[in-house]
Amino acid sequence: MAVWAVDRETGVRGQYVVKYRNGARMSATSSAFELIAAWMALELNLPAAETAIVNISPAFVDSLRGREGYAAAAKSEGFNFATTYHPGYNPVPGRGF
């Protein structure tokens, strides 16, 4: 889910793609793999979106009540893996595979 978030240390706002840790295809293990893969991409100078940890708060979950994404967010309160949102990035493998 794409969300707007604020870095608590710098106050900088940004848009992130959150991968809810209890979503349909995520788990604590999957989140760890995402972080490791992101670190490896950084070390190898591969083009990849910057990573972040986004805190899904009860207030945020309440703001989604009755909308798409509510159930996944409600099951994933707390810290979740995310990447910065960049329009035009394609998932790997891209469509057509």
Side-chain angles (χ1 to χ4, degrees):
M1 169 178 265
V3 300
W4 283 96
V6 176
D7 184 318
R8 289 186 180 193
E9 292 180 14
T10 65
V12 174
R13 294 177 178 265
Q15 193 170 14
Y16 298 87
V17 177
V18 177
K19 298 183 178 185
Y20 291 126
R21 69 171 184 250
N22 291 317
R25 294 177 295 191
M26 274 307 256
S27 66
T29 302
S30 299
S31 291
F33 289 158
E34 291 273 2
L35 283 168
I36 292 166
W39 173 77
M40 290 170 58
L42 179 66
E43 288 295 309
L44 296 170
N45 293 318
L46 297 174
E50 299 84 20
T51 60
I53 302 297
V54 173
N55 183 27
I56 301 300
S57 68
F60 176 77
V61 173
D62 285 343
S63 75
L64 293 176
R65 191 175 300 277
R67 297 177 20 197
E68 185 178 349
Y70 172 77
K75 293 187 295 185
S76 299
E77 282 186 19
F79 296 112
N80 290 265
F81 177 82
T83 58
T84 54
Y85 174 73
H86 295 279
Y89 270 31
N90 289 322
V92 176
R95 294 180 187 193
F97 275 83

